[in-house]
Amino acid sequence: MAQSIYITGVEQGSGKPAIVLALMELLSGDTAKLGFFRPLIQGHEAEDMLINLIVERYHLKSPYESMYGCTNEVARELLALNRYDELQKIIMAKYKALESQCDHVLCVGTDFSEGELTNEFDFNADVANNLSCLLMPVLRGNGRNINSILDTTTSFKHSLRDHDCDVLALVINGVDPKYTDELHAHFKQQNEPHPIYLVPTVPALEKPSISDIIRQLNARVLNGNDETLDRDVLNYKVAAMRVPHFLDHLQEGDLIITPGDRSDIILASLMAHKSTNYPQIAGLLLSGKQAPEDQITRLISGLGNIPFAVLGVDSDTFNTAMNLTQVASILAPKNERKIAAVLGVVENSIDFPALKQRLASTQTSRVTPLMFEYDLMQRARQNKQHIVLPEGLDDRILRAAEIILLRGSAQITLLGSVEKIRHKIQTLGLHLESVNIIDPWASNMREQYAESYFKLRQFKGISYNMAYDTLADASYFGTMMVYLGHADGMVSGAVHTTQHTIRPAFQIIKTKPGTSIVSSVFFMCLEDRVLVYGDCAVNPDPDSQQLADIAISSADSAQLFNISPRIAMLSYSTGESGKGQAVDKVREAVRIAKQQRPDLKLEGPMQYDAAIDLGVAKTKLPDSEVAGQANVFIFPDLNTGNNTYKAVQRTSGGVAIGPVLQGLNKPVNDLSRGCTVTDIVNTVAITAVQAQLNGIDNNEDTCH
C-alpha cells in the first residue's frame, strides 16, 4: 500500500482545489487504482462539488457514498454530544474500506466555510494522523505581503509541532509573484525539515464564472447556453443611473445588476452588446421578484440566443450586490480552460519529481489510539477466537461481553454459577443469548481438567484430590481450558489480583521455547500516539539477560500490533557518561539484545526525556536512530516502570491497556481491578490477536 496524502487548507480561501487537481494529475499517472476521500461533506441534498470534479475528470470507479466519511449534519450532532472520538471512528472506518480497494488515496480536508468545527485545522490534523496520511497543508498567500506570509507561516509551524504531524510539504498558495524570490531565499536559509512551495496567483481563479454565480446564489437562468454560462465575470456593476450615464460606465466582462423592472437598462445592455462602440458585458442579473414586462420578455426571446446570460434572483439590488462579494471561483469539470490554467501555474511552482521521490521515501509509522483500536477490532474479527472470562458475575465483564459479541470480535465463555450469571444478565438488561456459561463446580470437564493438572504438578507433591479442589477455582479452570485447547485465550483480573490471574498460567501454560521469562507490556494510548511500556507489572528486578528478553518480547508485541519498534532501554543516565551497577545492568542488556536481535532498532542506556523528545535527543544523542522518536520503552525495574506508567496515564489523560503478558505458550492477560468496560473489550481483542498468532505458530510446528 502506497503512502496516502492528506491535503487541507489552514484557513478559508486557501485555494486547495488547485493543489488537489495538481496532485491528482501526479498520482493518476502512476497509480492504477486511485482513490479520493473527504472526511466531511455538506449533506445529501447536493453532492460534493470537489468529489464530482475529481470523479468526472479522473474516471474514478468507487461509489460516491464510499468517498466521504459523513455529512456535516452528522458531525454536528456527534460534537454536540461530546462524541468526538466516535466521529473520528466513523471517518476512519469509511476511509479504511476505500483504502482496501485502492493503491493510493488522496484525502482532502474540510472547507472552512460552514462553521461546523470550532478548531477546524485541529480536526483535520487529527484525521490525517488517524488515517496515517502524510499531511500537505495549504496556506493562503493571496492578499498578504512578505511579512504577513512569514508571520503566518511561523505561527502555523508552531501549530504543526503541537499536532506532531508527518508533513510531506507545505504549500503557500496565491502568492504575489513579486514576493516569490525573496520568500524562496528566506525559506532556503531556514533549512526547513520539509519543502515549502510557493504557488503564485492564478488569474483564471480570481474571477467567478456565470455558472459559479448561478450555483452559489441559486439564481434562475432566464437566458443562456453553455458558452455564455462559462464566461468569467470581471466586474460587478449596479445600474441605478439613467441609460446615458449607465453606458458611460460599461467595462469588458461586467455583470450588470439591476431590478427586473428596469426595461431601459435591459434594452440598453442588449443594444450595447451589439454595438462595436461599447465593450462586451458578461451578463445581466435581475434583482427583486419583479420579472421584466411581458413585452420585454417576448422581445428577448425573439432575438434567439443572445450573446450573454440573463439571470434572476429574489433578493433586492443591495443584498444581491453584497451576496456577489461572497461568490468564489469554482473549478468545474467542463471548464477545461480554467483547469488548464490552474495546472499550468501549479505544475510550474511545485517540483513534482522531487515531491514524488519524497513521497516514496517518506513513510509514516505513526499509530494513534484510534488507529490502534480500529486495527485491533478488525484483526480480531477476521479470525474469531474463543476467549474465556473467569469473572462472569462482574457487571463490567458482562457489559464488555455483550459489546464483544455485538462487534463479533470473539467467542466468549463466562465462568461462574449459571443461574446467578443468567439472573445478573437479565437484571442488567443485556443481550447475551449466544454466550457460553460454565460453572467450574458443576462442570463435567472438572475431572478431566483435574487429571491433567495432577499430571503437570504431581512432582510438587499435589494429589489428585488437591488438583480436583483446585479446579473449582475459575482462574485455574479457565487456564486449563486454554492449555487443553478448549479456549484460545483467557482474560481475568477485574476482580482477582494479578498473582491470582498469572500464577495458574506460570504453572500450567509455561513459557515459550527460547524465552527465559514471562513479562508484560502496557499499550499507552496517549492523545496522538501509542507507546509500549515494559515491564511494568511482573518482574521486580530483572537482571541483564532478563532485561534483554523483555526488550525483545516487547518489540515482538509492538510488531504484532503494527507498531514499528524503536526501543529505548531506560536508565538514569544517557550514553556512556553514567557509572554504577544500575546503569551497567542496562548497558549489558543492550549488548545482549543487539547480539540476539541485530535487526531491531534498540539503543541505551538513555533517559526518558532523551528517548521521547527530539529537542533533547539532538543534544544528548544527535546521531541516534531511536532517541527522540522511541515508541517502546524498557524500564530497568518494576518500581520505575509501574510508577511511570501510572504517572503518565494520570497526568496525560491517556488510556493504559494491559498488562499484556508476553512469553507464555498461550495467551493469558491480566486486567486492572479498576478497569473499565472499554479496557476489557480492548484486552479481549488483544488476547484474540495473540491467539491468532499462536495458532499460526502451532500450525507451523505441526508442519515441521
Side-chain angles (χ1 to χ4, degrees), residues 110-125:
T110 55
D111 291 327
F112 287 81
S113 59
E114 298 297 315
E116 306 293 344
L117 300 162
T118 53
N119 299 301
E120 197 157 351
F121 176 74
D122 296 346
F123 170 80
N124 282 300

Side-chain angles (χ1 to χ4, degrees), residues 167-183:
V167 179
L168 177 64
L170 172 63
V171 178
I172 306 174
N173 190 32
V175 178
D176 191 321
K178 67 185 179 189
Y179 300 144
T180 55
D181 289 344
E182 188 172 343
L183 288 169

